[in-house]
Amino acid sequence: MLGVEQLTITAGSRTLCRELDLAVAPGELWAVLGCNGSGKTTLLHALAGLAPAAAGRVTVADKPLATYSRRELGRTLGILLQREDQEFWGTLADYVLLGRYPHARSLFGWNAPDEEAAVRALGAFDLKPLAAQSYGTLSGGERQRARLAQLWAQNPRLLLLDEPLQHLDLRHQLQTLELVRAAVRGAGKAALVVLHDLTFACRCDRVLMLRGDGRYAAGAAAELLQPERLEDLYGCRVRAFGNGPDAHFIPVI
Amino acid sequence: MSRSPLFPVLLVVAASSLFIALLFGTFPISFVQVFDSIFFPIPGVVQDVIWRLRLPRALAAFACGGLLASAGVLLQVLLRNPLADPYILGVSGGAALGALAALLLGAGLVFTNLAALVGALGAIAIVFALSFRAGDWNLHRLLLTGVVLSAGFSALISLLLVLAPQAQLKGMLFWLMGDLSHAGASDAAWLLLAALLLVFTLWSGSLNALALGALKARALGVAVGGLQAAIYFGAAFATVAAVLLGGSIGFVGLMVPHALRLTGVNDHRRLLPASALAGGSFVTLADTFARTVWAPQQLPVGVFTALLGVPVLLFLLSRKP
């Protein structure tokens, strides 16, 4: 689904990530971990073709990223941005419908399938009762769900999620993670998820750790999510409870 | 969203504004005579006044308003700034500088328009060249370049006004305030307006996405670079066409899109054509005022677009949502 070869990403004079090789297969859920400023967002932007990489090759669905048209890419790959502008003129339903942009076939307004996809996406994130409400009146968490719903309406095969759980309450964090897992397991999509919550990272199949100095580690979650590695990554002491997908990590104060 | 009867209302308003423009003027013409001249034309003075004087001017005013309002909508999306209006990028400053220099040299109408065109195109080229660097178009740089260039133009314009002899001063001031009394044939402006509306109404899905910001629009699959360049040049040429017809008629490009947004028209599929209709009607009415209120003295239409527009916009702003 996603192939990365020798990808180097820089920010100013810093090399965030050097010669990254990565292969993400359909049905795989990846957690991307790292400290603040370690290049997680920059990496996602580079994979989505939103920012240029210093070197390397990216293929999406076996096709070089550079050969996609923007609209074609929008049907295959979707990205949840960590930050976006808060202003939007319309209702929540208008906002979610914009996710159908790369699929739109009609020059005037949306087709029935577009509207159905938007309604399904609204339902998935418990947003149906708010559909007619002006986007500007939504709370931070509701907006986060609206962005997720927009991405679900877009329905790409490769999901790049930059901190999808931010602003969400506990129930909606769980619900979002379950929806991501269902999309990956059930619908054969692949997802790269930037997370700071290690409990959720343990529910992913594989982990990519970015050190922020060019070094990285990629591998099975069970292998990489070890207290020593996490202490090394985050620079604080970590204690583990349980193991495997049920593990919990708590910083030692 | 409920379908309000926006377009029927706007079409009636547009037709009425053109009719009113034919009806009123220094030469008294009755309601019946206007109808007669449309449906049963009889050669004569009435016929000439309506078809040779008032109609061309009304059409020029309408095209002017439609172009300015459309350019305002486009630039507000492009720059994502509610204060953006057609003159923010220095187009009108360049045109005014060219026109005033020509007027100062005692040039006729044709040469003045030519000088305005050269000035406007020069401003477009300078702003674009300075703000565009290989593959990267920074909109903050675009906005600032336009504003800085406008400031420079306005300094030069002030200088020309100070240096101008008394005889030329009034004509120059009229040009600056926006004046349709020398408006020529508006065929080209109508053609441009129609093309602009067609292209960007078909493109309005992308405009809606771009209103969320360039990065977000690209993430949704919009080819942002080409769209932004098209918006810039579309708005710039619309402004040039409007300025060549009526000078710098102020306030239309800023006020009309905001007034429509405040009444709940936000989707660009509707906002763009609605702005063109409302802007056209508005300038046509303002120009009819301008040439009748103090007849036979003709006043610059730009004064009336502001005088009529300010209270309307203030009312809409103070209304409870």
Side-chain angles (χ1 to χ4, degrees):
Chain A
M1 183 65 74
L2 175 71
V4 177
E5 285 171 44
Q6 299 290 300
L7 188 74
T8 297
I9 291 172
T10 55
S13 59
R14 284 201 304 157
T15 300
L16 297 170
C17 167
R18 184 174 295 120
E19 295 169 4
L20 173 69
D21 287 310
L22 204 64
V24 177
E28 276 186 352
L29 176 55
W30 283 71
V32 181
L33 305 180
C35 295
N36 297 151
S38 59
K40 304 183 293 296
T41 295
T42 315
L43 172 66
L44 253 55
H45 283 193
L47 297 180
L50 298 176
R57 275 166 33 89
V58 177
T59 53
V60 175
D62 300 323
K63 204 180 138 182
L65 182 65
T67 62
Y68 277 89
S69 79
R70 210 55 246 183
R71 188 182 278 261
E72 190 187 359
L73 187 63
R75 289 193 289 264
T76 314
L77 176 156
I79 180 168
L80 178 80
L81 299 174
Q82 184 190 127
R83 275 192 317 171
E84 63 179 70
D85 292 309
Q86 298 293 322
E87 274 175 47
F88 180 66
W89 44 264
T91 63
L92 172 58
D94 290 328
Y95 179 82
V96 172
L97 263 169
L98 278 178
R100 298 300 298 172
Y101 178 87
H103 302 278
R105 297 194 169 277
S106 162
L107 289 169
F108 297 98
W110 305 103
N111 286 338
D114 294 329
E115 298 197 344
E116 284 159 19
V119 169
R120 272 200 307 278
L122 283 166
F125 289 92
D126 295 339
L127 289 168
K128 265 191 194 160
L130 303 174
Q133 204 168 314
S134 159
Y135 182 80
T137 63
L138 300 178
S139 78
E142 286 164 346
R143 280 177 203 205
Q144 180 68 8
R145 276 149 59 204
R147 297 174 190 176
L148 284 158
Q150 190 185 55
L151 187 62
W152 252 244
Q154 187 180 343
N155 194 25
R157 281 189 289 158
L158 174 61
L159 297 160
L160 305 176
L161 307 174
D162 200 346
E163 299 198 27
L165 307 179
Q166 62 177 341
H167 308 306
L168 296 182
D169 60 43
L170 215 51
R171 179 165 69 88
H172 286 112
Q173 288 186 25
L174 257 173
Q175 187 180 345
T176 300
L177 198 80
E178 283 312 315
L179 283 164
V180 174
R181 282 164 58 108
V184 171
R185 300 269 184 280
K189 297 178 191 295
L192 253 74
V193 188
V194 172
L195 287 170
H196 285 300
D197 190 315
L198 297 172
T199 307
F200 289 125
C202 293
R203 272 76 185 164
C204 296
D205 308 307
R206 303 181 76 78
V207 169
L208 172 65
M209 286 178 174
L210 295 180
R211 303 294 300 265
D213 57 0
R215 290 180 296 158
Y216 71 93
E223 205 175 297
L224 285 187
L225 292 174
Q226 299 296 335
E228 318 81 66
R229 280 189 171 271
L230 293 169
E231 286 179 349
D232 195 33
L233 181 67
Y234 290 113
C236 66
R237 294 195 53 211
V238 173
R239 185 174 294 164
F241 296 93
N243 43 64
D246 297 318
H248 293 269
F249 296 93
I250 293 182
V252 180
I253 301 167
Chain B
M1 208 204 281
S2 70
R3 289 275 129 171
S4 55
L6 175 74
F7 282 100
V9 169
L10 282 176
L11 284 172
V12 170
V13 169
S16 316
S17 74
L18 287 173
F19 191 84
I20 288 169
L22 298 184
L23 191 59
F24 290 101
T26 324
F27 187 85
I29 291 178
S30 73
F31 199 79
V32 178
Q33 280 172 309
V34 175
F35 264 110
D36 280 351
S37 84
I38 295 173
F39 296 106
F40 312 101
I42 307 159
V45 181
V46 173
Q47 191 71 7
D48 281 353
V49 168
I50 290 179
W51 291 100
R52 295 249 176 102
L53 293 176
R54 290 188 190 166
L55 186 69
R57 178 148 177 184
L59 289 177
F62 201 97
C64 215
L67 285 167
L68 289 173
S70 311
V73 171
L74 291 176
L75 287 173
Q76 282 155 21
V77 179
L78 177 69
L79 299 171
R80 308 199 63 241
N81 186 324
L83 288 178
D85 84 344
Y87 303 142
I88 205 161
L89 294 178
V91 176
S92 67
L97 187 63
L100 263 56
L103 286 171
L104 189 62
L105 296 173
L109 187 64
V110 175
F111 188 69
T112 305
N113 274 342
L114 207 63
L117 182 65
V118 169
L121 294 180
I124 294 173
I126 293 173
V127 170
F128 189 74
L130 289 180
S131 64
F132 190 87
R133 287 187 208 150
D136 159 45
W137 206 21
N138 184 323
L139 293 177
H140 282 293
R141 201 159 56 216
L142 174 69
L143 183 60
L144 280 174
T145 310
V147 169
V148 168
L149 202 68
S150 298
F153 284 135
S154 91
L156 289 173
I157 288 165
S158 304
L159 188 67
L160 287 186
L161 286 175
V162 171
L163 294 177
Q166 203 66 36
Q168 261 100 40
L169 201 56
K170 192 166 175 191
M172 292 166 81
L173 280 176
F174 265 61
W175 205 98
L176 280 180
M177 284 187 275
D179 172 36
L180 283 157
S181 52
H182 298 297
S186 53
D187 318 11
W190 276 96
L191 217 60
L192 184 65
L193 178 61
L196 201 70
L197 286 181
L198 184 71
V199 168
F200 284 102
T201 307
L202 290 178
W203 223 337
S204 54
S206 308
L207 293 180
N208 283 336
L210 188 62
L212 287 172
L215 186 70
K216 178 77 182 178
R218 287 173 70 203
L220 286 171
V222 182
V224 166
L227 178 65
Q228 285 178 330
I231 292 178
Y232 173 72
F233 285 108
F237 287 125
T239 310
V240 172
V243 166
L244 288 183
L245 273 180
S248 317
I249 299 176
F251 211 63
V252 183
L254 181 68
M255 193 220 57
V256 171
H258 281 306
L260 285 165
R261 284 197 192 93
L262 285 168
T263 53
V265 184
N266 277 303
D267 186 339
H268 290 89
R269 284 186 186 93
R270 306 171 75 218
L271 180 61
L272 195 63
S275 291
L277 282 173
S281 315
F282 179 58
V283 173
T284 308
L285 287 175
D287 185 49
T288 308
F289 262 112
R291 62 188 171 76
T292 51
V293 143
W294 208 323
Q297 170 75 44
Q298 302 218 353
L299 301 174
V301 59
V303 172
F304 284 89
T305 51
L307 284 182
L308 295 173
V310 166
V312 173
L313 196 60
L314 287 180
F315 166 73
L316 287 172
L317 280 171
S318 62
R319 226 175 31 150
K320 280 191 183 137

